[in-house]
Amino acid sequence: MNGKVGQREWLALLEKIAAEERLVQAVFSAPRRKDGTIARKATVRPVTLKGGLRYQFERLADNKAFHENVNADELAAKLANEMTSYKQALIQTTEADIQALANKKGELTLIARAKTSDQEGTASKAVPQTHNRDKRYVLPEGEPVLFLVALGVMTPEGKVVKAKYDKFRQINRFLEMVADAAPELPRGKPLHIVDFGCGKSYLTFALYHYLAVKMKLPVRIFGLDLKKDVIEACSKLASELGWEELTFAVGDISDFKGQASIDMVVTLHACDTATDAALLKAIGWGASVILSVPCCQHELFRQISQPVLQPLLKHGILKERFAALATDAIRANLLELAGYRTQMLEFIDLEHTPKNLLIRAVKSRGSSPASIENLRAEYERFRDFLSVSPFMEREN
């Protein structure tokens, strides 16, 4: 079903999806009203509770998540009602991804992209999540994925290589965060994405696979790293996969001037102020989505000076950890001052790596001058208390 549809057709489609238990996920975004009365995003997923199958509505407002569980026979009506509050929705089923766009009159246009057989798998119904946290991966084990096989994460039969299982989990965790942010990316044009410090590019290839192959979006991704041999290997693999819109080059983040505008910036484990340089580039481009996992952070360790904190700062290891947390707090606040909604998320279990925080920033539609001034005053008090001069302020 493509093109404009009436409310009766829309409800009939939702009732069919609900009756056949084919809903994988629904994401509603772009609220019709900007006064804060509507959650900025609503996500719907099937879950298994003690009473059986339910559908969980998660609404994000003021950086808080509110949950509501509904029965299967209520789902279609609830989805239809949810759409009245938003300008767009992405309904993902076992058969297709359906984008719904609403105009000012509330009239709907549907764009459906059928899934290929390798995306559908063999399930006729969506597999609900359970509250004991049984994991459904974006890239499920048992289904071979070409780039994972080429990178040695999977066997040709789709079995995850035991030594690479942590990497497999990391890739899926990353794609979960991408999936949550994907509705914030612009539509109707090719998406331009830059991955700074891409390294061996496990996540760069995963990103391209998810957006271009799985979601069938027009995407151009550019990976940048300082290691020539790594870039050559990544370029060779992209060529072998036939992914012409995934390209790589050797270069430094600060010197990169290859694009006038970018829709999404990814920076994973860029060392020290290289992360800050990448964030400044993203802000300058007005990127819709930023995903950043900081690495070692030395800048503020050398700067922090506050007698009140001396019982903490006199211990090197505690000062190092505090400096890292302060650095990420400063980055998050400066992103908010630049017009981004910012979240700090756990990227991977702490037992696997201490570098487990991911900064996810989404371009906001604007805040009131009063709230911006309050945020600025709060941030400046924190910065001045620590007696620091952050890179993102000095180089902006």
Side-chain angles (χ1 to χ4, degrees):
M1 182 182 293
N2 284 280
K4 290 186 177 180
V5 298
Q7 291 300 320
R8 187 173 297 177
E9 294 173 288
W10 172 236
L11 183 58
L13 174 62
L14 295 177
E15 287 176 342
K16 186 175 187 294
I17 292 171
E20 296 176 356
E21 298 180 9
R22 289 186 173 273
L23 182 69
V24 176
Q25 178 175 269
V27 179
F28 297 85
S29 57
R32 292 175 184 269
R33 298 173 62 179
K34 301 179 180 179
D35 57 4
T37 57
I38 300 173
R40 68 174 184 270
K41 186 172 76 169
T43 304
V44 186
R45 299 184 182 93
V47 296
T48 299
L49 304 179
K50 289 183 178 179
L53 176 66
R54 298 289 187 273
Y55 290 87
Q56 185 175 87
F57 284 67
E58 180 184 78
R59 299 177 178 89
L60 297 179
D62 298 325
N63 292 324
K64 295 180 181 179
F66 301 90
H67 297 95
E68 176 189 9
N69 296 326
V70 304
N71 295 324
D73 57 4
E74 302 174 87
L75 177 63
K78 291 286 289 186
L79 290 173
N81 182 66
E82 201 75 24
M83 190 68 213
T84 63
S85 299
Y86 295 89
K87 298 177 184 177
Q88 63 183 32
L90 179 63
I91 312 296
Q92 296 175 289
T93 75
T94 55
E95 293 180 324
D97 291 336
I98 305 165
Q99 187 175 12
L101 304 173
N103 61 21
K104 293 181 180 179
K105 297 179 181 179
E107 298 170 334
L108 291 178
T109 298
L110 302 186
I111 303 171
R113 299 183 181 88
K115 293 181 177 178
T116 59
S117 57
D118 65 314
Q119 290 173 308
E120 289 181 50
T122 57
S124 60
K125 296 182 179 181
V127 180
Q129 296 179 1
T130 61
H131 270 229
N132 64 1
R133 299 295 182 183
D134 288 342
K135 193 65 179 174
R136 281 190 71 241
Y137 289 123
V138 177
L139 303 178
E141 186 173 2
E143 298 178 17
V145 180
L146 285 179
F147 84 91
L148 290 179
V149 174
L151 289 169
V153 177
M154 271 186 174
T155 68
E157 296 73 35
K159 183 177 180 180
V160 178
V161 176
K162 186 175 181 180
K164 294 287 187 177
Y165 203 84
D166 287 345
K167 178 61 67 176
F168 176 72
R169 292 177 62 248
Q170 183 192 56
I171 289 170
N172 274 286
R173 175 61 175 151
F174 175 69
L175 291 182
E176 288 174 10
M177 296 177 178
V178 171
D180 285 343
E184 307 291 344
L185 292 169
R187 295 292 191 269
K189 71 178 193 70
L191 297 173
H192 291 82
I193 299 174
V194 170
D195 184 349
F196 284 127
C198 60
K200 294 182 180 179
S201 300
Y202 289 90
L203 301 183
T204 321
F205 282 99
L207 181 62
Y208 187 91
H209 173 86
Y210 180 77
L211 294 176
V213 179
K214 192 175 178 67
M215 297 291 293
K216 299 188 182 302
L217 296 174
V219 177
R220 296 172 183 168
I221 300 181
F222 185 82
L224 188 74
D225 200 273
L226 291 171
K227 298 175 181 177
K228 183 179 178 181
D229 58 334
V230 169
I231 290 300
E232 288 175 350
C234 293
S235 298
K236 180 181 178 183
L237 177 55
S239 177
E240 291 172 351
L241 291 170
W243 292 356
E244 297 179 356
E245 299 299 335
L246 175 59
T247 57
F248 298 89
V250 177
D252 184 80
I253 293 173
S254 299
D255 298 331
F256 181 73
K257 298 181 176 65
Q259 298 286 343
S261 64
I262 293 292
D263 300 301
M264 180 177 182
V265 171
V266 178
T267 167
L268 304 174
H269 300 132
C271 239
D272 201 18
T273 56
T275 292
D276 301 287
L279 294 178
L280 286 176
K281 288 282 188 183
I283 292 170
W285 283 319
S288 298
V289 175
I290 303 170
L291 299 176
S292 176
V293 177
C295 190
C296 53
Q297 302 174 18
H298 305 303
E299 185 198 25
L300 296 196
F301 181 86
R302 297 185 291 266
Q303 294 185 26
I304 290 177
S305 176
Q306 173 49 252
V308 174
L309 297 177
Q310 190 56 29
L312 182 153
L313 299 178
K314 69 182 180 181
H315 299 287
I317 189 170
L318 297 182
K319 182 179 179 181
E320 181 181 359
R321 293 178 183 178
F322 178 79
L325 292 173
T327 300
D328 287 335
I330 284 172
R331 288 166 174 160
N333 279 270
L334 288 175
L335 283 166
E336 289 175 355
L337 287 171
Y340 286 84
R341 300 193 308 269
T342 306
Q343 295 173 287
M344 307 297 291
L345 304 170
E346 185 180 68
F347 180 43
I348 198 70
D349 292 345
L350 191 59
E351 64 187 90
H352 299 298
T353 172
K355 312 295 191 300
N356 74 324
L357 287 182
L358 182 142
I359 303 171
R360 182 169 66 193
V362 174
K363 190 70 174 175
S364 173
R365 288 174 175 78
S367 302
S368 67
S371 64
I372 289 293
E373 284 308 307
N374 288 338
L375 178 62
R376 187 181 305 280
E378 180 181 78
Y379 162 71
E380 289 178 350
R381 286 195 297 271
F382 178 71
R383 177 201 63 196
D384 295 344
F385 176 74
L386 298 179
S387 302
V388 295
S389 174
F391 179 97
M392 285 182 67
E393 284 194 87
R394 296 197 314 272
E395 300 296 323
N396 190 13

